[in-house]
């Protein structure tokens, strides 16, 4: 284990020396010590604003670690659209730690990620929600509910749709199944929530499959939906 770790650090150092990169936030040359392509100065300045609001409809509550703006927005976009999957580990750790105070008292039993349609998952190479969910589960000692929720249809792009249009376009997109859901409080993880429509559509299916409560949990929420 130690040898593998040392080998990885050596490989990272060699790569950093061969392909010097810039911090993706301040664009200064990256020092050797960094977090997922972000220099430590920028990393420590990330504006975390953990919060909770009571849910509506099928959601018991929604919790978030940050607002979707500024540097956080830049990193989430990098993770999703610029193949910066190496950000998922450090971001996930940070989000899991920041969520600790808002998670207190909610007592989730298991963590489920909002699924991507298999084609989009294949194109992107990973599901950012699943990477975040894994970090949160590990940090808080919770089991991951893999394959309990799946996306049946790709659906339309959500960007620019109203909340009502989103809810309508997501009807029938998700399906939940599994005895492990029965009577459980599920922490449903996604990267960003805008109108809450995706979280609601998933929560409805999880409840239908027997879950007792569903708590929406995101890295960032768009602030106007506070
Ligand atoms: Zn920086």
């Amino acid at each position: 284990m130690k040898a593998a770790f040392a080998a990885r650090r050596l490989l990272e150092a060699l790569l950093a020396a061969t392909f010097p990169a810039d911090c993706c936030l301040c664009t200064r040359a990256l020092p050797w010590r960094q977090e997922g392509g972000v220099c430590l100065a920028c990393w420590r300045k990330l504006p975390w604003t953990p919060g909770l609001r009571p849910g509506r409809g099928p959601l018991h509550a929604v919790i978030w670690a940050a607002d979707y703006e500024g540097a956080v927005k830049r990193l989430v976009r990098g993770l999703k659209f610029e193949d910066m999957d190496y950000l998922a580990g450090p971001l996930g750790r940070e989000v899991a730690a920041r969520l600790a105070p808002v998670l207190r008292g909610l007592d989730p039993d298991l963590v489920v990620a909002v699924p991507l349609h298999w084609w989009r998952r294949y194109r992107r190479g990973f599901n950012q929600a699943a990477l975040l969910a894994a970090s949160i589960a590990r940090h808080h000692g919770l089991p991951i509910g893999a394959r309990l929720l799946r996306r049946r249809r790709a659906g339309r792009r959500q960007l620019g749709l109203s909340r009502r249009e989103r809810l309508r376009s997501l009807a029938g997109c998700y399906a939940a199944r599994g005895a492990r859901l029965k009577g459980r409080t599920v922490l449903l993880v996604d990267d960003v929530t805008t109108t809450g429509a995706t979280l609601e559509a998933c929560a409805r299916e999880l409840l239908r499959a027997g879950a007792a409560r569903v708590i929406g949990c995101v890295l960032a929420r768009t602030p106007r939906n506070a």
Side-chain angles (χ1 to χ4, degrees):
M1 205 52 212
K2 254 188 171 155
F5 182 72
R8 210 186 74 189
R9 293 305 285 263
L10 179 63
L11 181 65
E12 283 172 359
L14 282 170
L15 284 172
T18 319
F19 308 104
D22 298 333
C23 166
C24 68
L25 293 177
C26 69
T27 70
R28 279 196 283 265
L30 265 183
W32 189 68
R33 275 175 59 80
Q34 47 144 318
E35 289 284 6
V38 179
C39 75
L40 289 188
C42 288
W43 189 260
R44 289 183 185 128
K45 276 192 300 206
L46 286 176
W48 299 104
T49 51
L52 175 150
R53 70 162 165 75
R56 59 185 154 198
L59 286 164
H60 177 72
V62 176
I63 63 176
W64 58 87
D67 288 334
Y68 190 55
E69 56 189 15
V72 169
K73 184 171 183 174
R74 172 78 193 86
L75 295 186
V76 172
R77 293 190 61 83
L79 175 62
K80 279 172 85 158
F81 304 120
E82 293 163 41
D83 292 332
M84 293 160 67
D85 53 331
Y86 46 83
L87 256 173
L91 263 185
R93 275 198 304 277
E94 198 73 38
V95 168
R98 304 288 167 163
L99 284 173
V102 285
L103 261 177
R104 210 163 289 142
L106 291 170
D107 295 326
D109 297 306
L110 94 160
V111 181
V112 170
V114 169
L116 279 182
H117 185 255
W118 69 268
W119 176 243
R120 193 162 290 172
R121 158 82 179 68
Y122 171 76
R123 293 282 300 274
R124 191 173 290 167
F126 62 94
N127 173 3
Q128 71 286 353
L131 297 178
L132 278 171
S135 282
I136 292 167
R138 203 163 38 236
H139 189 95
H140 294 284
L142 293 166
I144 271 271
R147 288 188 287 280
L148 297 177
L149 182 65
R150 67 187 176 88
R151 180 144 191 168
R152 287 199 289 219
R153 297 195 272 113
R156 289 166 64 189
R157 282 242 171 232
Q158 300 282 290
L159 220 66
L161 298 186
S162 74
R163 189 181 130 74
R164 181 184 293 194
E165 287 168 331
R166 285 183 191 221
L167 280 169
R168 194 178 307 141
S169 87
L170 287 170
C173 266
Y174 297 98
R177 196 172 57 180
R180 289 174 69 199
L181 291 169
K182 292 269 182 300
R184 296 309 177 91
T185 296
V186 175
L187 193 68
L188 174 65
V189 176
D190 206 354
D191 51 356
V192 176
T193 186
T194 306
T195 64
T198 301
L199 291 176
E200 279 183 49
C202 290
R204 198 162 284 124
E205 289 306 311
L206 290 165
L207 293 176
R208 193 175 296 171
R213 292 196 304 179
V214 180
I215 300 154
C217 170
V218 293
L219 190 169
R221 52 117 200 210
T222 37
R224 67 189 150 86
N225 290 303

